[in-house]
Amino acid sequence: MRERGMARLGTLVLASVVAVAVLVGGGYWFLVRTAAGQDFLLGRMAGAVLSGGLPSEFDGLRVFMCGTSGPLAAPGRAQTCVAVTAGDSLYLFDAGEGSADVAQLHGLPTETLRAIFVTHMHSDHIAGINNFNLASWVQGRPAPLKVMGPAGIERVVAGFNEAFAIDRGYRVAHHGNDFLPAELGVMHAEVIAPGVVLQDDGLRVTAFAVDHGPVKPAYGFRIDYRGRSAVVGGDTIGRESLTVAA
Ligand SMILES: [Zn+2]
């Protein structure tokens, strides 16, 4: 009787071990092999970093992907956007639809947003510009938002400024000019050419031409800060300019 009990116990233990192994293996497979699992892991890692996972005295480049999809709908993903923090400032490279939501939900300090760099004027790279402007304005950005990109960016920015002029008026009327200074809600456009386009508190941003035909001009950007660098390639299909920049 006792031996039969011991055998049954042994079978139960073995079954439990197998079940745990299957669960662990399945969880690992889900996290590593599926898009949803990878998104979950990335979100947890980014959350840890942005919520203080690094020492407060950390003063280097941080790169956060606030959008990774294109113009076609992708569940759970915003359109193209790369956020970079350097020192006390936030910079964006492209701002597709939904990316401002991702940035806010992950606690990016939009009040420190200094500029948005645009690689090219495809909709999935620019559709979220105004939402970043609004979010950073409400959060207390102290200067007008600069939007820098290839020729044509002045038309895009003028269009956004005009399209949301009525909305800005309502918001200033609601909150008051002291809380939402009207002049800080209007974006400023700057047309850039290849070369160094920003030199700011140790940060250097260099634009370079990339092949994204028939889109011309299209730029990539190299970001340098305190001995570290990152490269944003836009939608280029050419590798040579990217390799040189990197
Ligand atoms: Zn494109």
Side-chain angles (χ1 to χ4, degrees):
M1 212 47 193
R2 193 172 166 204
E3 282 173 9
R4 199 187 295 167
M6 291 296 286
R8 190 179 296 165
L9 181 63
T11 304
L12 275 174
V13 169
L14 181 62
S16 302
V17 169
V18 170
V20 169
V22 168
L23 282 173
V24 170
Y28 175 80
W29 180 88
F30 170 78
L31 288 173
V32 175
R33 295 288 182 180
T34 67
Q38 290 167 2
D39 288 348
F40 173 79
L41 277 180
L42 196 60
R44 292 297 295 264
M45 290 161 65
V49 170
L50 293 168
S51 64
L54 292 176
S56 58
E57 66 273 15
F58 177 79
D59 187 15
L61 275 180
R62 285 176 176 166
V63 178
F64 178 77
M65 308 299 285
C66 37
T68 56
S69 80
L72 302 179
R77 292 163 61 190
Q79 295 176 348
T80 311
C81 174
V82 179
V84 168
T85 60
D88 295 325
S89 299
L90 171 68
Y91 301 88
L92 296 173
F93 295 83
D94 291 331
E97 186 65 48
S99 57
D101 294 348
V102 173
Q104 291 176 84
L105 290 172
H106 286 82
L108 285 187
T110 55
E111 70 277 12
T112 67
L113 180 57
R114 303 282 287 271
I116 300 178
F117 297 88
V118 174
T119 59
H120 62 291
M121 258 70 75
H122 266 151
S123 61
D124 51 318
H125 294 251
I126 61 173
I129 286 176
N130 190 71
N131 282 345
F132 270 113
N133 184 52
L134 176 60
S136 56
W137 183 31
V138 170
Q139 289 296 320
R141 172 174 39 73
L145 180 58
K146 213 181 325 179
V147 183
M148 305 166 79
I153 195 65
E154 74 283 9
R155 292 176 57 196
V156 170
V157 170
F160 273 126
N161 282 336
E162 176 59 24
F164 293 94
I166 296 172
D167 172 71
R168 289 196 307 276
Y170 290 152
R171 295 187 191 281
V172 172
H174 182 82
H175 296 288
N177 203 64
D178 288 343
F179 180 73
L180 274 183
E183 69 276 14
L184 300 186
V186 181
M187 292 182 280
H188 290 199
E190 187 175 327
V191 177
I192 56 175
V196 175
V197 293
L198 184 82
Q199 201 90 34
D200 203 0
D201 289 338
L203 180 86
R204 185 173 70 243
V205 178
T206 308
F208 57 94
V210 296
D211 180 5
H212 185 28
V215 179
K216 283 187 179 171
Y219 294 154
F221 295 99
R222 176 180 166 122
I223 307 126
D224 287 277
Y225 183 71
R226 294 189 179 275
R228 299 178 176 90
S229 63
V231 172
V232 175
D235 282 347
T236 185
I237 54 171
R239 296 188 205 130
E240 196 178 326
S241 56
L242 268 187
T243 307
V244 171

